[in-house]
């Protein structure tokens, strides 16, 4: 059974931070950041702004655009590694703010940057399982990564941004959906959010993550196409997790694929982890780039290590 996207939405916090702004507070430059990553700016939450408000804004708009009332939602899934609280989950906080029905379960999925794709497949399986009351799921990725950035570590502080992206989905025979998810337990090369003073911040071995990403993303795209029984030519768009423009360029080169097929918006938002793919999908829908019937291949990778892909039919 496939998955239909009824609506998407996104929300960004109010604080726009350019590379030049960062260069005033740490030893970096617009030239270094742009040439190594493609990032030009990012949005950060202000003091006191939290993930719940950000996620709520995106989810409320997605519901409105889908033309649904809160009581029609059967499932609420958040993909995040930066919830406001360890418990209650971000999904439960948003559930309460939206007034979703008690019959709709709500929980967080932490698969780092792969989170939204894992949440979509989880939603599809739960909707298909028949235990839910209703047919629509609210699925969102929302992160406040600025909270776990070490201002004294320029090798990570310039790479990330805050944001939220949401989608309302339902099962559909006419919208084939193919998913692939994987993991390799390796906490050393990328981690964040530990309980100690030193390990609460994002710590990353940049070049190891780069090597992992440029190997796993083409493999994941190949695996997904094989599962779906189609070729890259038959796919209309590829949306990679927006971690680094250079990673996407490597992937394009490795696959010998046309670069116009690969959507990029990292220059506007930096790496928003689990929010990057739903934010990109929402932008593309808003710009009219994705038309009904088109196939969009999404692929993500992140801490864990984790990776995943979804071939979505709009
Ligand atoms: O969601 C997954 C998240 N992570 C990623 O996708 C990241 C993957 N990795 C990367 O994108 C790249 O490895 C980075 C962009 C993080 C780094 O690029 P790089 O070409 O691998 O640079 P590097 O780490 O080898 O550092 C080169 C130099 C170093 O200086 P020295 O030792 O050569 O003098 C760094 O200290 O660049 C320096 N550097 C900086 N300079 C200015 C590191 N960060 C900065 C900075 N501004 N922000």
């Amino acid at each position: 059974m496939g998955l239909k996207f009824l609506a998407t939405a996104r929300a960004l916090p109010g604080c726009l931070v350019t590379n030049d702004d960062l260069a005033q507070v740490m030893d970096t430059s617009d030239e270094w950041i742009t040439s190594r990553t493609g990032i030009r700016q990012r949005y950060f939450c202000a003091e006191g702004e939290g993930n719940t408000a950000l996620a709520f804004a995106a989810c409320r708009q997605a519901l409105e655009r889908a033309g649904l009332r809160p009581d029609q939602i059967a499932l609420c899934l958040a993909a995040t590694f930066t919830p406001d609280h360890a418990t209650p989950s971000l999904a439960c906080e948003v559930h309460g703010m939206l007034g979703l029905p008690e019959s709709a379960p709500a929980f967080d999925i932490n698969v780092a940057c792969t989170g939204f794709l894992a949440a979509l497949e989880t939603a599809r399986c739960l909707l298909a399982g028949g235990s839910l009351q209703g047919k629509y799921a609210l699925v969102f990725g929302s992160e406040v990564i600025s909270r776990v950035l070490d201002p004294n570590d320029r090798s990570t502080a310039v790479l990330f941004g805050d944001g939220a992206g949401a989608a309302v989905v339902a099962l559909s025979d006419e919208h084939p959906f193919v998913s692939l998810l994987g993991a390799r337990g390796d906490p050393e090369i990328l981690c964040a959010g530990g309980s100690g003073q030193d390990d609460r911040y994002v710590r990353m071995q940049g070049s190891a993550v780069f090597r992992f990403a440029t190997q796993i993303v083409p493999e994941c795209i190949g695996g997904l196409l094989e599962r779906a029984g189609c070729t890259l030519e038959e796919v209309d768009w590829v949306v990679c997790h927006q971690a680094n423009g250079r990673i996407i360029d490597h992937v394009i080169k490795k696959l010998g694929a046309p670069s116009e097929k690969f959507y990029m918006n990292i220059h506007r938002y930096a790496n928003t982890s689990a929010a990057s793919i739903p934010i990109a999908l929402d932008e593309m829908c808003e710009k009219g780039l994705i038309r009904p019937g088109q196939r969009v291949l999404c692929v993500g990778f992140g801490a864990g290590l984790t990776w995943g892909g979804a071939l979505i039919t709009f």
Side-chain angles (χ1 to χ4, degrees):
M1 189 66 109
L3 206 59
K4 177 181 176 173
F5 275 60
L6 279 86
T8 59
R10 66 182 185 278
L12 282 312
C15 209
L16 174 66
V17 179
T18 65
N19 292 346
D20 284 334
D21 292 334
L22 288 181
Q24 298 200 354
V25 292
M26 63 183 76
D27 183 15
T28 189
S29 65
D30 177 48
E31 196 281 321
W32 192 96
I33 302 170
T34 308
S35 63
R36 301 287 171 128
T37 69
I39 297 164
R40 292 186 178 277
Q41 60 176 47
R42 73 286 293 139
Y43 293 86
F44 284 160
C45 284
E47 197 67 35
E49 257 185 302
N51 199 340
T52 306
L54 199 59
F56 171 68
C59 290
R60 186 175 55 181
Q61 191 168 39
L63 264 187
E64 269 171 31
R65 287 180 176 173
L68 294 178
R69 298 183 311 274
D71 65 2
Q72 291 174 286
I73 294 296
L75 175 67
C76 174
L77 292 185
T80 188
F81 77 95
T82 52
D84 286 338
H85 304 103
T87 195
S89 65
L90 177 62
C92 275
E93 300 206 67
V94 171
H95 186 289
M97 287 178 82
L98 285 172
L100 300 186
E102 289 188 5
S103 56
F107 54 94
D108 289 1
I109 290 184
N110 177 350
V111 199
C113 306
T114 317
F116 183 72
L117 300 177
L120 277 181
E121 174 63 356
T122 306
R124 193 186 69 84
C125 293
L126 282 170
L127 287 168
S131 63
L132 300 175
Q133 288 180 37
K135 51 183 181 175
Y136 303 110
L138 178 62
V139 181
F140 55 101
S142 189
E143 305 281 13
V144 181
I145 307 175
S146 56
R147 207 185 271 151
V148 289
L149 289 180
D150 181 352
N152 297 313
D153 180 6
R154 65 178 181 171
S155 72
T156 53
V158 304
L159 302 177
F160 296 89
D162 301 338
V168 178
V169 297
L171 290 181
S172 164
D173 278 336
E174 284 110 56
H175 296 79
F177 178 91
V178 181
S179 168
L180 184 156
L181 297 167
R184 182 192 307 154
D186 182 349
E188 294 307 318
I189 74 168
L190 182 55
C191 59
S195 51
Q197 192 60 22
D198 287 339
D199 65 353
R200 58 181 274 244
Y201 292 128
V202 173
R203 295 285 176 228
M204 180 173 70
Q205 296 171 20
S207 49
V209 177
F210 198 97
R211 277 196 304 279
F212 160 66
T214 49
Q215 173 239 322
I216 204 70
V217 172
E219 271 181 34
C220 201
I221 292 175
L224 208 51
L225 291 172
E226 198 180 313
R227 263 182 207 192
C230 72
T231 64
L232 199 53
E233 287 71 43
E234 295 170 287
V235 169
D236 297 285
W237 288 102
V238 179
V239 179
C240 291
H241 162 51
Q242 306 286 305
N244 182 332
R246 271 169 61 220
I247 291 177
I248 300 175
D249 291 340
H250 269 252
V251 170
I252 291 169
K253 215 165 162 192
K254 214 165 181 173
L255 294 172
S259 57
E260 319 81 68
K261 216 173 245 203
F262 286 67
Y263 188 74
M264 276 214 234
N265 64 6
I266 187 157
H267 53 289
R268 268 193 290 283
Y269 307 115
N271 180 348
T272 57
S273 191
S276 95
I277 290 175
I279 287 175
L281 292 177
D282 182 56
E283 263 194 1
M284 294 169 79
C285 289
E286 190 176 85
K287 291 179 182 170
L289 294 176
I290 301 178
R291 293 192 300 277
Q294 285 196 324
R295 286 203 264 208
V296 181
L297 191 156
C298 299
V299 56
F301 63 92
L305 299 166
T306 59
W307 57 90
L311 185 56
I312 304 167
T313 312
F314 273 79

